[in-house]
């Protein structure tokens, strides 16, 4: 009886350890933020840079429910230190998406936000705490 209980405990401990390893976050952190106003534009911003570093890596802005008549849109990327940068998002199926990898690093800690032209809705991520 004692052997059976020990086997069950070891099996359970192994299962928990395996689940913990599979759920562990990757060492290379990425961040994303989206708007939460479900009746308005759904705007998201994503960065591939590492947490604790102000370099955002590649910045991707997505509009998930644009009007069907629009095939491209201007996206404004803003940061208090770097000001505003523009990029163009193009339609890919049911969404518009634009990506940009800045050369050098004009950004500083704080929020990095994406806003599509013609909308006041913006999505932001914190460059340091991702």
């Amino acid at each position: 009886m004692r052997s059976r209980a020990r086997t069950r405990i070891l099996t359970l401990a192994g299962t928990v350890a395996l689940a913990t390893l599979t759920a562990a976050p990757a060492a290379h952190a990425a961040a994303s933020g989206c708007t939460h106003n479900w009746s308005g534009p759904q705007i998201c911003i994503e960065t591939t840079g590492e947490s604790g570093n102000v370099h955002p890596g590649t910045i991707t802005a997505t509009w998930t429910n644009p009007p069907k008549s629009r095939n491209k849109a201007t996206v404004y990327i803003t940061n208090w230190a770097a000001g505003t940068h523009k990029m163009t998002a193009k339609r890919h199926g049911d969404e518009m998406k634009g990506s940009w990898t800045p050369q050098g690093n004009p950004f500083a800690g704080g929020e990095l936000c994406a806003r599509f032209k013609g909308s006041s809705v913006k999505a932001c991520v914190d460059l340091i705490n991702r």
Side-chain angles (χ1 to χ4, degrees), residues 6-112:
R6 184 178 302 138
T7 302
R8 284 183 182 170
I9 290 171
L10 289 174
T11 302
L12 179 61
T15 303
V16 169
L18 183 60
T20 303
L21 285 174
T22 349
H28 187 276
S32 63
C34 295
T35 59
H36 298 288
N37 177 2
W38 298 112
S39 63
Q42 295 302 300
I43 308 296
C44 294
I45 184 171
E46 179 181 358
T47 63
T48 60
E50 294 184 33
S51 183
N53 185 335
V54 295
H55 194 285
T58 298
I59 303 166
T60 303
T62 308
W63 183 359
T64 59
N65 61 350
K68 292 189 185 291
S69 61
R70 298 206 47 195
N71 290 317
K72 65 181 182 176
T74 301
V75 183
Y76 299 104
I77 303 297
T78 57
N79 173 260
W80 70 271
T84 301
H85 299 269
K86 290 192 306 186
M87 68 178 170
T88 301
K90 295 181 181 176
R91 182 174 286 279
H92 297 276
D94 292 335
E95 64 185 19
M96 274 198 231
K97 186 179 282 193
S99 292
W100 173 49
T101 304
Q103 301 303 311
N105 186 22
F107 302 101
E111 286 189 327
L112 181 68

